[in-house]
Amino acid sequence: MKKTKVINSDLSRVIATMGHFDKLSIGDAGMPVPSSTEKIDLAVDNGIPSFMQVLNNVLEELEVQRIYLAEEIKVQNPKMLTAIKKRLPDTPITFIPHEEMKKDLVDCKAFVRTGEMTPYSNILLESGVTF
């Protein structure tokens, strides 16, 4: 559910159409996206925009009740895991295998591709409600 400030028209549209329990994914430049899932490609260059820049922007408008991360992030990218936990300290996290996360993209409203070039910088955001 929209809150305030995403200016990318495709991303804003997707957020505006989300309902309770719908999912939106944000990920690194290398995440394979099923052809049936809308891809909003924001990547411009290596690291531009970063995963955290896009996540922070989306969180300005999307109410999130749960996040899903790849189990592999714990060992392969603990810095990113720390940043995500710091940004969403009270949001429950479910860890799933990366292969399962790739399959779950089929059920997402969209996948937002960033310029992030660090491993396992992918997240599924489950929409909550604002009331």
Side-chain angles (χ1 to χ4, degrees), residues 90-106:
D90 300 321
T91 306
I93 301 172
T94 299
F95 291 96
I96 59 177
H98 185 62
E99 288 301 317
E100 184 178 328
M101 179 177 271
K102 290 192 288 189
K103 291 176 185 169
D104 289 348
L105 292 180
V106 171

PDB file of all heavy atoms in Angstrom, residues 90-106:
ATOM      1  N   ASP A  90      12.147  -4.652  13.120  1.00  0.00           N
ATOM      2  CA  ASP A  90      10.996  -5.316  13.735  1.00  0.00           C
ATOM      3  C   ASP A  90      10.216  -6.189  12.768  1.00  0.00           C
ATOM      4  O   ASP A  90       9.137  -6.687  13.113  1.00  0.00           O
ATOM      5  CB  ASP A  90      10.063  -4.258  14.341  1.00  0.00           C
ATOM      6  CG  ASP A  90      10.762  -3.424  15.399  1.00  0.00           C
ATOM      7  OD1 ASP A  90      11.558  -3.997  16.173  1.00  0.00           O
ATOM      8  OD2 ASP A  90      10.546  -2.194  15.424  1.00  0.00           O
ATOM      9  N   THR A  91      10.747  -6.381  11.572  1.00  0.00           N
ATOM     10  CA  THR A  91      10.050  -7.164  10.553  1.00  0.00           C
ATOM     11  C   THR A  91      10.527  -8.609  10.601  1.00  0.00           C
ATOM     12  O   THR A  91      11.735  -8.856  10.527  1.00  0.00           O
ATOM     13  CB  THR A  91      10.294  -6.571   9.154  1.00  0.00           C
ATOM     14  OG1 THR A  91       9.925  -5.185   9.176  1.00  0.00           O
ATOM     15  CG2 THR A  91       9.485  -7.295   8.100  1.00  0.00           C
ATOM     16  N   PRO A  92       9.605  -9.562  10.721  1.00  0.00           N
ATOM     17  CA  PRO A  92      10.018 -10.965  10.742  1.00  0.00           C
ATOM     18  C   PRO A  92      10.711 -11.359   9.434  1.00  0.00           C
ATOM     19  O   PRO A  92      10.321 -10.926   8.354  1.00  0.00           O
ATOM     20  CB  PRO A  92       8.700 -11.731  10.896  1.00  0.00           C
ATOM     21  CG  PRO A  92       7.706 -10.735  11.376  1.00  0.00           C
ATOM     22  CD  PRO A  92       8.160  -9.397  10.879  1.00  0.00           C
ATOM     23  N   ILE A  93      11.746 -12.193   9.569  1.00  0.00           N
ATOM     24  CA  ILE A  93      12.515 -12.675   8.420  1.00  0.00           C
ATOM     25  C   ILE A  93      12.332 -14.184   8.306  1.00  0.00           C
ATOM     26  O   ILE A  93      12.471 -14.911   9.295  1.00  0.00           O
ATOM     27  CB  ILE A  93      14.020 -12.383   8.577  1.00  0.00           C
ATOM     28  CG1 ILE A  93      14.280 -10.891   8.726  1.00  0.00           C
ATOM     29  CG2 ILE A  93      14.812 -12.969   7.406  1.00  0.00           C
ATOM     30  CD1 ILE A  93      15.735 -10.559   9.083  1.00  0.00           C
ATOM     31  N   THR A  94      12.048 -14.635   7.096  1.00  0.00           N
ATOM     32  CA  THR A  94      12.046 -16.054   6.791  1.00  0.00           C
ATOM     33  C   THR A  94      13.194 -16.307   5.825  1.00  0.00           C
ATOM     34  O   THR A  94      13.282 -15.652   4.782  1.00  0.00           O
ATOM     35  CB  THR A  94      10.706 -16.486   6.147  1.00  0.00           C
ATOM     36  OG1 THR A  94       9.646 -16.231   7.078  1.00  0.00           O
ATOM     37  CG2 THR A  94      10.728 -17.968   5.779  1.00  0.00           C
ATOM     38  N   PHE A  95      14.070 -17.220   6.197  1.00  0.00           N
ATOM     39  CA  PHE A  95      15.191 -17.587   5.337  1.00  0.00           C
ATOM     40  C   PHE A  95      14.812 -18.817   4.529  1.00  0.00           C
ATOM     41  O   PHE A  95      14.288 -19.792   5.079  1.00  0.00           O
ATOM     42  CB  PHE A  95      16.444 -17.860   6.165  1.00  0.00           C
ATOM     43  CG  PHE A  95      17.014 -16.629   6.807  1.00  0.00           C
ATOM     44  CD1 PHE A  95      16.698 -16.303   8.121  1.00  0.00           C
ATOM     45  CD2 PHE A  95      17.856 -15.784   6.097  1.00  0.00           C
ATOM     46  CE1 PHE A  95      17.219 -15.164   8.723  1.00  0.00           C
ATOM     47  CE2 PHE A  95      18.385 -14.638   6.685  1.00  0.00           C
ATOM     48  CZ  PHE A  95      18.059 -14.332   7.997  1.00  0.00           C
ATOM     49  N   ILE A  96      15.046 -18.746   3.215  1.00  0.00           N
ATOM     50  CA  ILE A  96      14.749 -19.855   2.308  1.00  0.00           C
ATOM     51  C   ILE A  96      15.967 -20.094   1.418  1.00  0.00           C
ATOM     52  O   ILE A  96      16.764 -19.189   1.210  1.00  0.00           O
ATOM     53  CB  ILE A  96      13.494 -19.558   1.452  1.00  0.00           C
ATOM     54  CG1 ILE A  96      13.680 -18.274   0.625  1.00  0.00           C
ATOM     55  CG2 ILE A  96      12.245 -19.478   2.319  1.00  0.00           C
ATOM     56  CD1 ILE A  96      12.516 -17.938  -0.292  1.00  0.00           C
ATOM     57  N   PRO A  97      16.108 -21.306   0.869  1.00  0.00           N
ATOM     58  CA  PRO A  97      17.218 -21.538  -0.066  1.00  0.00           C
ATOM     59  C   PRO A  97      17.090 -20.622  -1.286  1.00  0.00           C
ATOM     60  O   PRO A  97      15.983 -20.319  -1.738  1.00  0.00           O
ATOM     61  CB  PRO A  97      17.061 -23.005  -0.462  1.00  0.00           C
ATOM     62  CG  PRO A  97      16.223 -23.611   0.614  1.00  0.00           C
ATOM     63  CD  PRO A  97      15.330 -22.503   1.118  1.00  0.00           C
ATOM     64  N   HIS A  98      18.235 -20.184  -1.803  1.00  0.00           N
ATOM     65  CA  HIS A  98      18.247 -19.289  -2.961  1.00  0.00           C
ATOM     66  C   HIS A  98      17.484 -19.885  -4.144  1.00  0.00           C
ATOM     67  O   HIS A  98      16.765 -19.160  -4.849  1.00  0.00           O
ATOM     68  CB  HIS A  98      19.693 -18.980  -3.356  1.00  0.00           C
ATOM     69  CG  HIS A  98      19.826 -17.991  -4.457  1.00  0.00           C
ATOM     70  ND1 HIS A  98      19.377 -16.686  -4.354  1.00  0.00           N
ATOM     71  CD2 HIS A  98      20.359 -18.099  -5.701  1.00  0.00           C
ATOM     72  CE1 HIS A  98      19.625 -16.046  -5.488  1.00  0.00           C
ATOM     73  NE2 HIS A  98      20.224 -16.872  -6.316  1.00  0.00           N
ATOM     74  N   GLU A  99      17.618 -21.178  -4.355  1.00  0.00           N
ATOM     75  CA  GLU A  99      16.897 -21.827  -5.460  1.00  0.00           C
ATOM     76  C   GLU A  99      15.391 -21.690  -5.293  1.00  0.00           C
ATOM     77  O   GLU A  99      14.665 -21.489  -6.264  1.00  0.00           O
ATOM     78  CB  GLU A  99      17.300 -23.302  -5.584  1.00  0.00           C
ATOM     79  CG  GLU A  99      18.698 -23.512  -6.122  1.00  0.00           C
ATOM     80  CD  GLU A  99      18.910 -22.913  -7.515  1.00  0.00           C
ATOM     81  OE1 GLU A  99      18.028 -23.061  -8.385  1.00  0.00           O
ATOM     82  OE2 GLU A  99      19.961 -22.262  -7.711  1.00  0.00           O
ATOM     83  N   GLU A 100      14.914 -21.778  -4.061  1.00  0.00           N
ATOM     84  CA  GLU A 100      13.481 -21.604  -3.789  1.00  0.00           C
ATOM     85  C   GLU A 100      13.072 -20.154  -4.044  1.00  0.00           C
ATOM     86  O   GLU A 100      11.999 -19.887  -4.589  1.00  0.00           O
ATOM     87  CB  GLU A 100      13.177 -21.997  -2.343  1.00  0.00           C
ATOM     88  CG  GLU A 100      11.704 -21.934  -1.988  1.00  0.00           C
ATOM     89  CD  GLU A 100      11.427 -22.379  -0.561  1.00  0.00           C
ATOM     90  OE1 GLU A 100      12.146 -23.253  -0.040  1.00  0.00           O
ATOM     91  OE2 GLU A 100      10.482 -21.840   0.024  1.00  0.00           O
ATOM     92  N   MET A 101      13.938 -19.209  -3.653  1.00  0.00           N
ATOM     93  CA  MET A 101      13.643 -17.797  -3.873  1.00  0.00           C
ATOM     94  C   MET A 101      13.467 -17.519  -5.368  1.00  0.00           C
ATOM     95  O   MET A 101      12.543 -16.807  -5.766  1.00  0.00           O
ATOM     96  CB  MET A 101      14.743 -16.913  -3.300  1.00  0.00           C
ATOM     97  CG  MET A 101      14.488 -15.425  -3.516  1.00  0.00           C
ATOM     98  SD  MET A 101      15.731 -14.378  -2.756  1.00  0.00           S
ATOM     99  CE  MET A 101      14.997 -14.180  -1.138  1.00  0.00           C
ATOM    100  N   LYS A 102      14.345 -18.088  -6.190  1.00  0.00           N
ATOM    101  CA  LYS A 102      14.234 -17.888  -7.635  1.00  0.00           C
ATOM    102  C   LYS A 102      12.887 -18.407  -8.155  1.00  0.00           C
ATOM    103  O   LYS A 102      12.243 -17.761  -8.972  1.00  0.00           O
ATOM    104  CB  LYS A 102      15.395 -18.572  -8.363  1.00  0.00           C
ATOM    105  CG  LYS A 102      16.722 -17.881  -8.131  1.00  0.00           C
ATOM    106  CD  LYS A 102      17.821 -18.354  -9.046  1.00  0.00           C
ATOM    107  CE  LYS A 102      18.309 -19.728  -8.741  1.00  0.00           C
ATOM    108  NZ  LYS A 102      19.520 -20.107  -9.505  1.00  0.00           N
ATOM    109  N   LYS A 103      12.453 -19.551  -7.645  1.00  0.00           N
ATOM    110  CA  LYS A 103      11.154 -20.110  -8.053  1.00  0.00           C
ATOM    111  C   LYS A 103      10.002 -19.237  -7.568  1.00  0.00           C
ATOM    112  O   LYS A 103       8.986 -19.092  -8.252  1.00  0.00           O
ATOM    113  CB  LYS A 103      10.996 -21.531  -7.521  1.00  0.00           C
ATOM    114  CG  LYS A 103      11.917 -22.529  -8.182  1.00  0.00           C
ATOM    115  CD  LYS A 103      11.801 -23.895  -7.559  1.00  0.00           C
ATOM    116  CE  LYS A 103      12.825 -24.840  -8.170  1.00  0.00           C
ATOM    117  NZ  LYS A 103      12.934 -26.096  -7.437  1.00  0.00           N
ATOM    118  N   ASP A 104      10.145 -18.662  -6.379  1.00  0.00           N
ATOM    119  CA  ASP A 104       9.077 -17.835  -5.793  1.00  0.00           C
ATOM    120  C   ASP A 104       8.857 -16.519  -6.534  1.00  0.00           C
ATOM    121  O   ASP A 104       7.833 -15.863  -6.343  1.00  0.00           O
ATOM    122  CB  ASP A 104       9.369 -17.547  -4.315  1.00  0.00           C
ATOM    123  CG  ASP A 104       9.206 -18.770  -3.427  1.00  0.00           C
ATOM    124  OD1 ASP A 104       8.645 -19.793  -3.893  1.00  0.00           O
ATOM    125  OD2 ASP A 104       9.646 -18.711  -2.261  1.00  0.00           O
ATOM    126  N   LEU A 105       9.804 -16.131  -7.390  1.00  0.00           N
ATOM    127  CA  LEU A 105       9.633 -14.901  -8.171  1.00  0.00           C
ATOM    128  C   LEU A 105       8.406 -14.976  -9.072  1.00  0.00           C
ATOM    129  O   LEU A 105       7.843 -13.944  -9.439  1.00  0.00           O
ATOM    130  CB  LEU A 105      10.884 -14.601  -8.996  1.00  0.00           C
ATOM    131  CG  LEU A 105      12.129 -14.209  -8.217  1.00  0.00           C
ATOM    132  CD1 LEU A 105      13.287 -13.950  -9.176  1.00  0.00           C
ATOM    133  CD2 LEU A 105      11.884 -13.001  -7.337  1.00  0.00           C
ATOM    134  N   VAL A 106       7.983 -16.171  -9.412  1.00  0.00           N
ATOM    135  CA  VAL A 106       6.784 -16.359 -10.247  1.00  0.00           C
ATOM    136  C   VAL A 106       5.553 -15.764  -9.556  1.00  0.00           C
ATOM    137  O   VAL A 106       4.639 -15.283 -10.220  1.00  0.00           O
ATOM    138  CB  VAL A 106       6.568 -17.862 -10.555  1.00  0.00           C
ATOM    139  CG1 VAL A 106       5.231 -18.121 -11.214  1.00  0.00           C
ATOM    140  CG2 VAL A 106       7.687 -18.389 -11.409  1.00  0.00           C
TER     141      VAL A 106
END
